[in-house]
Amino acid sequence: MKILVATEKAFAPTAIKLIREVTDAAGHQLALLENYKDVSELLAAVADADAMIVRSDLVTAQVLDAAKKLRIVVRAGAGYDNLDLPACTAHKVVAMNTPGQNSNAVAELAFEMMLYQARGGFSGKSGSELRGKTLGLHAFGNVGKYMAEIAKGFGMDVYAFDPFVTEDVMKKSGVKACKSVDELYSECQYVSLHMPANDKTKKSINHELLKKMPKEAVLVNTARKEVVDEEGLLKIFEERPDFRYLSDVEPDCKAVFEEKHKGKFIFTAKKMGAQTEEANINAGVAAARQIVDYFKTGNEKFKVNK
Ligand code: 3PG
């Protein structure tokens, strides 16, 4: 079988080496399309692929139309909002993700941004510390759990809200369970977003919620820019000079931030939460193993489409 790794943002070379070991050992052929600039390159590369590994690359109906032999696509990562799931199903393509594999890298980036911001971007001006501050985890999945673990080391007071996770699970991680999303935002100076982008969550982080945050509020977004209502975000920045926004990916309203709110935000130029060698290895190798196993035994454990 031909397995294509199609990544607009390439994996670390070591990850490719280890992915190749997995595919070679199973007798499959590995093809690479890395750092591609135009979707036409993807359409050509996928034409004879039986399986595909992607990252945030868009797998649309157009891509699936071009992929005449494709049987499985694995998103090496957690969020699969880049896969058109109904189109995958219509094309009889199994879609999977690799949950948890890159979560530590994302949690570390959230802390890196928080620390950099708390120390005024290493300007030398007097900053602030994380110890004793409140951290709210909006969603308590794999990244949320790593966040809680790291936050404890910093001596932070950790809260979480997640309608899909029981109070017991949160308590075991030393996290205070909030009964409502309002409670989370009212209690916590820092709020970090860890939910997927879907019809329910898109634009859900709005002005109503943000205005509940205490003084010196910091919103940290390593999830998806789409979950934040940017109009509401800009409104809160107009009203509250104490507000900060740290985001792994520039918002659509970046120009307004640059013009009016200098020094109050951090935006990474390219989504880099999962961009570590370790995360690339974990997610890439997991994806390769899931494909090999699917071809060998039909295992659909991580299937995300119906
Ligand atoms: C994920 O959903 O796993 C992360 O957002 C990582 O995305 P990336 O593979 O494009 O870096």
Side-chain angles (χ1 to χ4, degrees):
M1 300 284 178
K2 181 168 175 177
I3 302 174
L4 172 71
V5 175
T7 49
E8 181 268 323
K9 184 173 61 190
F11 285 131
T14 329
I16 295 295
K17 184 175 162 278
L18 295 172
I19 290 169
R20 194 182 293 284
E21 278 177 23
V22 173
T23 54
D24 280 1
H28 300 307
Q29 182 201 345
L30 190 74
L32 297 179
L33 175 71
E34 296 181 297
N35 304 312
Y36 62 92
K37 299 279 175 269
D38 194 86
V39 70
S40 59
E41 297 172 64
L42 176 59
L43 298 179
V46 81
D48 61 348
D50 302 282
M52 176 160 66
I53 296 173
V54 294
R55 296 184 63 177
S56 290
D57 308 79
L58 296 182
V59 179
T60 60
Q62 186 193 22
V63 172
L64 293 159
D65 280 343
K68 297 277 180 261
K69 294 173 70 189
L70 197 69
R71 287 170 55 194
I72 175 168
V73 57
V74 182
R75 193 278 190 245
Y80 46 86
D81 46 312
N82 54 317
L83 310 180
D84 183 335
L85 296 186
C88 286
T89 304
H91 285 79
K92 296 193 169 45
V93 171
V94 170
M96 294 186 185
N97 68 345
T98 65
Q101 300 291 345
N102 57 21
S103 307
N104 182 64
V106 176
E108 285 191 16
L109 181 75
F111 273 88
E112 282 151 9
M113 292 197 294
M114 284 157 65
L115 290 163
Y116 187 73
Q117 185 275 329
R119 291 304 181 99
F122 298 162
S123 62
K125 286 189 195 141
S126 181
S128 62
E129 301 178 22
L130 296 186
R131 180 168 295 277
K133 304 296 191 307
T134 45
L135 170 66
L137 303 173
H138 192 163
F140 196 65
N142 291 305
V143 183
K145 287 186 188 116
Y146 280 112
M147 290 292 294
E149 206 178 299
I150 300 169
K152 262 187 274 167
F154 277 104
M156 297 186 88
D157 208 2
V158 189
Y159 295 70
F161 173 76
D162 190 326
F164 304 105
V165 178
T166 64
E167 201 177 322
D168 250 23
V169 170
M170 293 185 190
K171 271 191 187 151
K172 275 191 190 118
S173 296
V175 169
K176 289 171 201 145
C178 290
K179 297 250 175 304
S180 69
V181 72
D182 287 3
E183 186 188 341
L184 186 84
Y185 283 71
S186 308
E187 288 292 339
C188 297
Q189 180 188 347
Y190 286 84
V191 170
S192 190
L193 307 176
H194 301 292
M195 72 287 279
N198 56 37
D199 290 346
K200 284 216 169 75
T201 62
K202 280 181 189 166
K203 291 190 187 239
S204 65
I205 312 307
N206 54 26
H207 182 260
E208 275 304 291
L209 264 187
L210 296 175
K211 76 175 189 203
K212 295 184 193 307
M213 290 180 73
K215 262 181 95 102
E216 309 295 327
V218 182
L219 180 69
V220 186
N221 185 1
T222 54
R224 292 290 183 270
K225 68 175 179 182
E226 290 84 355
V227 299
V228 174
D229 171 20
E230 293 191 10
E231 253 179 61
L233 181 71
L234 286 174
K235 192 165 171 216
I236 202 86
F237 266 79
E238 290 295 339
E239 293 164 359
R240 288 185 43 182
D242 64 311
F243 216 95
R244 300 287 180 271
Y245 183 48
L246 318 178
S247 177
D248 182 18
V249 162
E250 300 164 338
D252 295 333
C253 61
K254 179 189 162 197
V256 183
F257 268 91
E258 285 185 333
E259 190 193 321
K260 294 188 170 174
H261 307 298
K262 272 243 161 2
K264 297 182 179 180
F265 62 88
I266 299 174
F267 303 146
T268 58
K270 203 171 176 88
K271 185 148 71 88
M272 54 173 282
Q275 196 60 323
T276 64
E277 184 176 61
E278 294 88 338
N280 291 170
I281 291 171
N282 292 343
V285 170
R289 287 198 181 124
Q290 285 170 215
I291 289 170
V292 167
D293 201 27
Y294 176 71
F295 283 141
K296 198 170 164 196
T297 69
N299 187 348
E300 294 188 344
K301 183 173 172 200
F302 294 103
K303 185 175 173 185
V304 292
N305 60 333
K306 296 209 174 84

